[in-house]
Structures are given as structure tokens and as C-alpha cells.
Amino acid sequence: EKPEKEVKPSVSEKKLSPKKILPIVVVCISLGAVILLLGNFLADYTAKRSGREAYYAGDYQTCYQNLMGKELDETEQVMYSQSESILTIRMWLREYEVFVNEGSELEALDSLLQAVRDYPTLLNYATQWNEVSLAFQDILNILSQKYQLSQEEAQQIADISDNVEYTKNVMLVLQRLGLGFWEFPQGTVTEETSAPNTEEAPA
């Protein structure tokens, strides 16, 4: 005969009522929000501290990357803005060096002239700090020593709005220095011109 199966006593399952679950859910959500906020605060604090340290060490790339998109105080905003200005100037110089290494003198001079054109409006504060001005001075030194252009002369060429006239003036500077030769259409510019012509040429 098969042994009789033991009858297990039925245990009534008690379900938690919504009133008892709600406080637990609220506590869990609140705790998660606190942990998230604390994590974000610590991450921002660490990034900004690293940015300040990088700034004082002269590492403007790291400073810019760590402060970008953060809520900054007045001092940190100055560090961020100055780092951005210096990095922009270094980008202009790097672009110039790339074109020179490729033997593209026309594009190289154009890069410097575009830098001269954009510099006065570099976030309104470019000229407020001596360090930014010193970085831009490297561009002015190249224009003066290699291309024999003062800042005023470079600014005059950079401000020419007509693309054809602008290109002719850049070519003329290079041709005058023996860095290139181009055939100009008759009646536009003459080879005897000894200085950049910033006046609009006849059609």
C-alpha cells in the first residue's frame, strides 16, 4: 500500500497593503536621489579642482576640459575663458604650421590673417589678460618677421569683404616676398605695387 501523503497545513499568505508599501518606496526613491546628487556634486567638485590645478600649472587644455559645462564661480569663469582664448590662438598657430609644412604659403598666410580678423572679438576679454595678449603676439611676430606686415596692415587685408580682392592682396604679399607668383588679370593689380592694395579694384 502506498503511504498516505502528508497533508501540509495551509498557511495564509499575508499581503502588504499599499499603505505599507508606499513609505518604503518613498524612502528608496529619496535615498537614490541623495546618492545621485552627492555623486554629481563630488564629480563636479573633483573636476573643478583638477581644472584649477591645471590652470595654475599652465595646462590650459586640461583646465578647459574640466571646467567646460560646469557651474562656475567668478574665478573659475575667468580661468575657463582665458584657457579657451589661449587654446583658440594656439589652434590658429597650429593651422598655420600645418600649411607651412605642406608648402601651402597662400593658405598659411590666410590662416594668420583670419586670426588677426577674429582676435578683437575673441569673447570680448581677449585683451584684458596679458597672457592672452602674449600668446597672440606670436602670430604678430610671424606676420612682421616673415611677411613684413604690421598688425594694422594685416588688419586692413583681413577686413576686405570681397573674396576675390582679398585673395589678390594675399597673393601680392607673397609675390612681393618671392614666396609665390600668380598671373593677375590685366587692370586689377600691378606687379610694381610695393604694398598691399586694400582698395577695391575695378571689375
Side-chain angles (χ1 to χ4, degrees), residues 8 15 26 32 41 44 60 86 98 102 114 135 154 156 166 178:
K8 295 182 179 180
K15 295 183 179 181
V26 171
F41 172 78
D44 281 358
Y60 301 109
I86 293 174
V98 168
E102 293 177 352
Q114 296 308 307
Q156 287 178 356
Y166 168 80

Side-chain angles (χ1 to χ4, degrees), residues 104-114 143 147 149 153-160 162-182 184 189 195-198:
S104 304
E105 285 292 344
L106 182 63
E107 289 80 2
L109 177 55
D110 173 64
S111 298
L112 297 182
L113 292 174
Q114 296 308 307
L143 286 169
Y147 299 104
L149 289 174
E153 291 170 334
Q155 189 74 56
Q156 287 178 356
I157 298 175
D159 288 341
I160 297 176
D162 182 79
N163 289 335
V164 175
E165 189 66 22
Y166 168 80
T167 303
K168 287 189 298 185
N169 278 272
V170 176
M171 289 177 174
L172 192 61
V173 172
L174 297 174
Q175 185 169 290
R176 181 162 50 90
L177 298 172
L179 297 175
F181 180 80
W182 295 267
F184 297 105
V189 293
N197 177 20
T198 57

Side-chain angles (χ1 to χ4, degrees), residues 12-78:
S12 59
E13 296 180 358
K14 294 183 178 180
K15 295 183 179 181
L16 292 175
S17 64
K19 291 183 178 179
K20 293 183 179 180
I21 295 177
L22 185 60
I24 299 175
V25 173
V26 171
V27 170
C28 291
I29 293 176
S30 301
L31 184 60
V34 169
I35 293 174
L36 182 62
L37 291 174
L38 184 60
N40 289 337
F41 172 78
L42 291 176
D44 281 358
Y45 174 80
T46 302
K48 290 195 288 187
R49 184 180 64 180
S50 299
R52 290 193 298 269
E53 292 173 352
Y55 174 84
Y56 290 122
D59 185 358
Y60 301 109
Q61 179 73 35
T62 300
C63 176
Y64 176 79
Q65 291 175 341
N66 279 277
L67 297 184
M68 182 174 57
K70 304 292 189 302
E71 187 174 346
L72 308 176
D73 60 26
E74 185 176 352
T75 301
E76 292 166 344
Q77 183 62 49
V78 169

